[in-house]
Amino acid sequence: MAPPKSKNSLPVKKPSASAPGGGTKAKAPSRKGGSRPLYTPAEVHEIFRRFCVQRPEPKGELDYINAFTLLIAVVLSAQATDAGVNKATKPLFSMADTPQKMLALGEARIGDYIRTIGLWRNKAKNVIALSKALIDDYAGKVPEDRDELVKLPGVGRKTANVVLNVAFGQHTMAVDTHIFRIGNRIGLAPGKTPEQVEQGLLKVIPTEYMRHAHHWLILHGRYVCKARKPDCPACVIADICKSKEKTTNVPAPLVPIAPLNEALAQV
C-alpha cells in the first residue's frame, strides 16, 4: 500500500472570480487574429441592403481617366486628402494618362504638378518607377492580379485592392482607416490588422453586395460613423448596429443620397 501523499504534494487550486450571483465567471474565449462578427447572416444582409438603397451606384472620390490614372491617383492619395489629390492630378492627367506619357514627362515635371501633396518628392519617384515597370514588364497595361500589382513601386495591398475593385470589378476589399474602424467598432469584422478585417469582411458580406461594399463602408465611415464622434442619428443601420458607442437605436430615414459631386453641384 502506497503511503499517503503529504499536504504539500496536493495541487493548489487558484481561486476563481465569482459572478455577482455567486457563480463562477465563464472564461473569455481567447482571440487569436480576427474575432467572429457580432451579426447573423440575415443582419449583415440587411445592413448592406440599406447601404444599397442609400447609394445604388457608389463611387470613390478620386478622379481618374483609366486604370493607369486610377492607380496613380491611389498611390498619390497616401497621407493626403482625395480633394487635394484631385486638384493636383487634374492638370497632370491632362498631360499624361499613360505610362509612356508619364515617363516622358519626367520626375521633375511630375513633382511640379504634385508639389501640394504630402511626400511629393518620394511619390514623384514612385510614379516614374511605376510607369517604367508597367512598360517594361506589362506592356504598358495595369495588371489585373494583386500579386503582380504589389510588385510595382509604391503599391501596397490596399492600393491593389482599390484598383482591382474599381477598375476591373473584382470582389476585393481595400481596408483603409475608415473600414478598419467600422469593422472593429460595430463588430462587423473585428481584427487586429487590416488584413484580418479584410478577410473577415470577405467572409460575411453577401456576394450580391461585394461589388460596391468597399465604397459603401468607406462613405459610411467618412460621413456617418466618424472617427471622433459617430453621427448615430444619421445612421440607417442604428437599430442593427451593436457598437457600444452608439447613441440611438432609431435608424435614419432610408432614402437615396445623391453622389457627393452631384450634391455639391446643386449648392
Side-chain angles (χ1 to χ4, degrees):
M1 185 174 179
K5 294 181 180 180
S6 67
K7 289 183 180 180
N8 293 335
S9 65
L10 293 175
V12 179
K13 292 184 178 180
K14 294 181 179 180
S16 57
S18 298
T24 302
K25 280 187 178 180
K27 185 179 179 181
S30 61
R31 295 184 176 182
K32 294 182 179 180
S35 302
R36 292 182 178 181
L38 302 180
Y39 303 83
T40 65
E43 288 173 326
V44 176
H45 189 281
E46 178 61 13
I47 287 171
F48 285 93
R49 185 194 72 81
R50 295 187 192 182
F51 287 160
C52 183
V53 172
Q54 265 196 319
R55 297 181 173 92
E57 294 291 333
K59 294 182 180 179
E61 295 175 356
L62 284 174
D63 295 335
Y64 64 96
I65 300 169
N66 51 31
F68 171 69
T69 54
L70 172 65
L71 176 59
I72 296 299
V74 179
V75 168
L76 295 178
S77 70
Q79 299 183 39
T81 65
D82 288 354
V85 172
N86 290 339
K87 186 176 180 180
T89 56
K90 184 176 181 179
L92 173 62
F93 292 161
S94 69
M95 294 293 295
D97 59 357
T98 67
Q100 293 83 354
K101 292 178 183 178
M102 196 68 75
L103 190 60
L105 203 58
E107 183 180 323
R109 290 194 64 192
I110 291 172
D112 290 338
Y113 282 107
I114 67 171
R115 194 177 295 270
T116 55
I117 300 175
L119 306 175
W120 65 272
R121 288 185 178 85
N122 190 54
K123 289 178 180 178
K125 292 179 181 178
N126 280 337
V127 169
I128 287 293
L130 187 158
S131 299
K132 189 174 187 306
L134 287 176
I135 295 168
D136 293 345
D137 302 329
Y138 303 99
K141 296 182 179 180
V142 177
E144 300 182 33
D145 180 83
R146 184 191 292 113
D147 291 339
E148 297 301 319
L149 280 168
V150 296
K151 293 177 183 178
L152 297 170
V155 178
R157 186 181 183 89
K158 185 188 76 172
T159 296
N161 281 336
V162 171
V163 173
L164 293 174
N165 179 261
V166 177
F168 303 117
Q170 295 186 25
H171 289 185
T172 58
M173 178 58 61
V175 177
D176 68 349
T177 55
H178 298 297
I179 295 180
F180 185 77
R181 178 175 68 253
I182 289 175
N184 283 286
R185 174 185 277 168
I186 74 174
L188 185 60
K192 296 180 180 179
T193 66
E195 192 164 348
Q196 287 174 359
V197 173
E198 174 189 335
Q199 295 305 317
L201 290 171
L202 290 175
K203 288 179 182 177
V204 301
I205 298 173
T207 301
E208 64 195 276
Y209 294 123
M210 270 305 305
R211 177 67 179 86
H212 296 307
H214 159 249
H215 281 132
W216 283 325
L217 290 172
I218 285 179
L219 294 171
H220 187 66
R222 184 172 290 168
Y223 298 110
V224 180
C225 201
K226 303 172 187 177
R228 292 187 179 181
K229 186 178 180 181
D231 188 4
C232 296
C235 180
V236 295
I237 62 168
D239 56 324
I240 305 174
C241 177
K242 293 178 170 60
S243 171
K244 295 179 180 179
E245 297 179 47
K246 75 174 184 178
T247 58
T248 181
N249 289 317
V250 180
L254 187 58
V255 295
I257 296 176
L260 184 62
N261 55 355
E262 292 182 17
L264 291 175
Q266 296 172 4
V267 176

